[in-house]
Amino acid sequence: MVNVKLDGVEVEVEPGTTVLEAAKKAGIEIPHLCTLKDLYNGASCRLCLVKTTRGKLVPACAYQVYRDEEFTVNSLELKRIRKVNFELLLSFHKIECWKCERKGDCLLASLSQELGVEGIPVCSQCPLPPEECLLTKGILCLGMITSSGCDAECITSGGQCWGCRGPITRRDVLERAFKRYEELGFNIDDVLFRAEIFWNSVPAFEKLKKVAAEVRGGKK
Amino acid sequence: MSWTLLDKCCEKCTHSLDNPCPDYIECRVNGPLCHSDKKCKELRKKRLEEIQYGAVGAKIKIPLSSCTLASGAENIYEAVKDYVEKNGLKISISISGCFGLDFLDPWIEFTSKGMPTAIYANVKPKDIPRLIKEYFEEHDVSSAYVLKNKTGKAKGEDKVPLLDELDVWKKQYRWVSRNCGIVNPESLEEYIATGGYRGLSRSLKMSPEQVIDEILKSGLRGRGGAGFPTGIKWRITREQKVTPKYVVANADEGDPGAFMNRLLAESDPFRIIEGLTIAGYAIGANQGYIFVRAEKPLMASRLQKAVEEARKYGLLGKNILGSGFDFDIEVILSAGAFVCGEETALLAAIEGRRAWPRQRPPYPAQKGLWGKPTAINNVETLAHVATIMAEGAEAFASVGTEKTKGTKMFCVTGSVKRPGVYEVPVGTSIRYLVEELAGGAVEGSAIKAVQIGGPSGGCIPASKLDLPLDYETLQSAGAIMGSGGIVVINDKNCMVDVAKFFLTFTSAESCGKCFPCRVGLKILWDILDKITRGQGTEEDLVVLRHVANTVKYASLCALGGTAPNPVLSTLRYFMDEYEAHIKDKTCPAKVCKALITYTINEDKCIACGQCAANCPVNAISKQESGKYSIDVDKCIRCGTCYVVCPVGAVEKHSRGRRRSGGEMKW
Amino acid sequence: MSIKPRSKEPKTPLEENNMFRGLKRAPHNLIEALRRVQARYGYLPPEGIKQAAEYVGVPFSQAYSVATFYHQYSLEPVGKYRILVCMGTACHLRGNDLNFEFLRMLLGLKEGQKTTKDGLFSLEVARCFGCCGLAPVVVIEKPDGTRQIIGNANARVLRAAIIKYRRQEAGGNE
């Protein structure tokens, strides 16, 4: 048995155990995406990077411990690297949470909240399945263009979103969202009117309006 | 076939493939050793002379390697063969490797008994009859570029310098590249005659541990880039209990701008085979692999031929030189992927899979090829091993720095007068290489920076040229030693464009396994592209730095870990150029297409029409004055007219601040 | 007008043996097997990949993953003459991107298009050939497998080379 020290917490494990498993035993969460036991451990997502005492970054999912070792699991530096790393991953993800089957238990959505990466809409937290979306019933909801993460009563109970948490700034998400509004028969002016209640002094609102104008312009 | 050094001199010789003699190598050159017979000794001596001057006393040597072929050596070879055959001359023709002095290409060497050996540079096929006549009939060497020795018997000897006096030759320390351009790379006999295989026969008389100790004593570090001590790597591999073990020669030299491994393998392949055999003996492996890059097929075929030749004479196979050690080598040609230079990816490629690197540890020395302990060494390292074992560790360790002993081959290319491969002791300054050996910047330009270590390296500004070339110093300056490619960048090159070029390369070559590298490099490229199009913002620089650092620290393998180096080092040393692109929307070096225009200077134009004839979009038309001018709206700024104009009348101008370009698209 | 079946005749076992002659049936020979398929067909057709996979004994999926990974393999037919423009550092700095553009225009290729309509030439970007001292370098792979390496390439020599090959082909067909 070897001793692994993770951010000061000591845990005893079999030699050959990965850092990730050791952390699980110690009750420490390390964010990870790609590793699946017995299926894949290629250390591809690089979100589970931890720091050794020699200052090297190693993936917790693939690094096996054979002797007493110490790791830093959470630090400002690691957090920043994980965040940028996750942003890179998300930048190639086609975000359409309102249509997504997994919106309730999406690993990306929960990680984005944990790491503080914006760009995911409120829909990811909405308890309603996609086919029961309020928008399909003609109820105007700002969930598609509002940043997720507020956990307020209105969302968790399946009510409509009023956008108090602020707009999304990612352009491609906005484009898709406005196209969706038009598809469902909403007037974009109505959407913007509703949005102005909370956002009239938010700088990102100007950008959002531009995107909206473009989407509308493209239709004509 | 006629008798060669490698054959028996008489019936008294007991050596055979089934019963090899441990003193085989020594015996062939200084022999015979087992019996004293004047006749046999004479026979061997005579043959040694024949190797130097050819069987008929006169010899023409033509270098056939990729670089000389590119400059037309094949035509020279044909021309020489034609002329000699047609005129029934008694001259033997042989091939050789390449000196590494690319500015001489194609060159040709004449040797004749009693005459100085002469090398002619930049030869054209039509010169051949004249040169042969001059040298072999008139005994005149005055038009040679350089002589290897002087005899005082030929005309014009005083006018031509000696090779040993030439700057590019005498200022080098040719240790591992000593045979390059000298011997015939396809002849084992010549290799042995010039001292080859002495290292192996000495090693086989020692125990494997002693061989490892000798390498440790020499202080040899891997020449592939990371600089890991070779002896330690071997010791770890030897200590593993699992068998079988493997040795692999990494000849997947992928860095653009580096070709010392190709040069070595094409000019002196037996040295690599010998080094790999010694490595196999030291770690206890019976099988070796040489993994060759796909773009260099000549290198693979030379190595393949060398392996077959060595096998034929019992230098590979069972019971090598009577030591009881069995070893064989397989040459494997890659299918083309830069990432194969990474050792774990290379192993995957040898196993016939996608060249995906994997997380280390476990290191290949513990779990490598097919999960067995494997020692992977660079080609140049192995050549060093063969030379160290022949000459002794002290001779090797007598040059170099305290931390890194010995010599290293460097490729100096880009805008220098004498591009080529130069071997110097580790720790030599960059300036020495670039200015003393490579001759400094080409006429009309000044050195702005040197790029060291290929796409994984960094750009070092001209002000830091006095830095010594060793692993630690370069790392702290933001570059890496890498394989040793030095590309000289002059003031006509734009640093942002250079950084973008490297990212084009690395993002295309990223294997796609881990996403900091796959996505991060693409994003870095996007931002640089935006900047070179004149649409960059100050914020972009912040993002650039953030993403670059993440890619550097979070990537799985060395490709991703070093790929942002060109960006980070140019940001560190050439911030002013980035700012010029972003703030003033100009490209100071006038390279970035979106920021320049082409015009024709009417005063210089000679109305030849070359530009109009070559313009792909017909943007150039004849004016009433008879001169030509460019329609700026039609022009796609491809630069063809700039290149073809014989008088330099086409000029580049900065476009200056662009008018409103509208919102840029992300 | 008679319609000929488009599919090629099935390869006889004899031909397969010819193609892979001397190659051990081991998974690690997949890369070499695929290379021979490419040498035989000029590119990697699906049935060729299958043959290679069966010969060395790996699943088709693995052979396909290898075929798509390495850039020496081409999954679509390439021209008779393969023009490879080196994009190494030295070549880039000495203006090989201009040569590439020039060749693209000269051959009348659209951006992203690889092979000319008549199937004679295909234009590709290649990695360093290790002739950096003679930059910029362009390599032309001829149908017989040999290659012409052009050092210090510029618009003039390249045009001459293309014209030479075009003429050879025209002469050969008559």
Side-chain angles (χ1 to χ4, degrees), chain A residues 42 44-46 59 84-85 88, chain B residues 359 513-515 519 550 554-556:
Chain A
S44 288
C45 79
R46 320 301 287 175
V84 178
N85 212 350
L88 290 177
Chain B
Q359 186 68 37
K513 184 174 180 182
C514 76
F515 70 71
V519 181
T550 303
S555 292
L556 198 159

Side-chain angles (χ1 to χ4, degrees), chain A residues 79-139:
Chain A
K79 223 168 208 167
R80 208 186 53 234
I81 285 182
R82 277 181 202 150
K83 188 180 166 188
V84 178
N85 212 350
F86 187 70
E87 277 173 348
L88 290 177
L89 173 73
L90 216 54
S91 70
F92 273 59
H93 183 59
K94 190 181 175 190
I95 297 174
E96 275 184 330
C97 297
W98 48 90
K99 278 188 191 169
C100 181
E101 285 295 327
R102 291 197 59 172
K103 67 182 190 181
D105 62 350
C106 171
L107 212 51
L108 288 177
S110 53
L111 270 175
S112 79
Q113 272 182 42
E114 193 182 322
L115 297 169
V117 175
E118 78 116 27
I120 292 198
V122 166
C123 300
S124 66
Q125 292 180 299
C126 175
L128 302 173
E131 60 274 10
E132 282 176 38
C133 175
L134 293 178
L135 290 165
T136 59
K137 294 173 189 156
I139 304 169

Side-chain angles (χ1 to χ4, degrees), chain A residues 34-97:
Chain A
C34 72
T35 177
L36 281 172
K37 203 164 186 282
D38 297 333
L39 204 61
Y40 186 82
N41 70 337
S44 288
C45 79
R46 320 301 287 175
L47 285 177
C48 64
L49 290 177
V50 293
K51 200 171 182 179
T52 64
T53 40
R54 289 170 67 193
K56 247 182 127 179
L57 297 181
V58 295
C61 66
Y63 191 87
Q64 295 166 338
V65 194
Y66 284 99
R67 56 191 159 88
D68 292 357
E69 257 184 293
E70 208 181 320
F71 298 95
T72 315
V73 176
N74 280 306
S75 69
L76 260 179
E77 184 203 1
L78 283 172
K79 223 168 208 167
R80 208 186 53 234
I81 285 182
R82 277 181 202 150
K83 188 180 166 188
V84 178
N85 212 350
F86 187 70
E87 277 173 348
L88 290 177
L89 173 73
L90 216 54
S91 70
F92 273 59
H93 183 59
K94 190 181 175 190
I95 297 174
E96 275 184 330
C97 297

